[in-house]
Amino acid sequence: MPATEKLRVDKYLWAIRIFKTRTQAAAACDGGKVKLNGAAVKASRTVSIGDQYEVKTEARRWKIEVTGLLHNRQQYTEAIKYYVDITP
C-alpha cells in the first residue's frame, strides 16, 4: 500500500478489532468516545503512526498507540501487531 493512502480512524479501529463493526466504530467517534490528545475525533480523521487514541467501548476503556496502518480486518493475532495497548 502506498504511504500516501489515507486511513480513516473508524476503519482502523474496526480493522484492529476494537469494534465489531465499522458502523459501531463510526458511532463511537461521532459520540465523542474516541479521543486523540484528549480531543474527540471525527470518524473521517486520518490515522498516523504514533497517534495515541483513547477509546471507550461498552466492554472497557482503551488507550492505544498506532504502530502500523491496517486497512482490512485481520484475525486477532495479526491485528494486535498494528497497535500497542498502553492502557494504564
Side-chain angles (χ1 to χ4, degrees):
M1 300 239 167
T4 55
E5 189 163 336
K6 302 267 189 255
L7 177 62
R8 291 167 52 109
V9 69
D10 61 339
K11 188 171 178 184
Y12 173 78
L13 291 172
W14 163 76
I16 64 166
R17 307 186 84 85
I18 302 273
F19 292 99
K20 286 192 176 85
T21 68
R22 192 164 162 194
T23 307
Q24 285 177 330
C29 293
D30 295 340
K33 291 178 167 55
V34 179
K35 294 184 174 161
L36 174 65
N37 302 327
V41 295
K42 291 192 168 89
S44 58
R45 160 116 198 164
T46 304
V47 176
S48 302
I49 290 173
D51 283 355
Q52 292 186 357
Y53 289 97
E54 291 171 55
V55 184
K56 199 170 155 195
T57 64
E58 286 179 18
R60 58 174 282 204
R61 286 186 122 117
W62 299 75
K63 188 158 191 206
I64 59 167
E65 181 171 338
V66 179
T67 57
L69 302 181
L70 184 60
H71 290 262
N72 295 305
R73 197 165 168 94
Q74 305 271 332
Q75 60 189 10
Y76 177 77
T77 52
E78 281 300 307
I80 58 173
K81 297 174 185 172
Y82 291 86
Y83 70 94
V84 179
D85 187 345
I86 52 172
T87 308

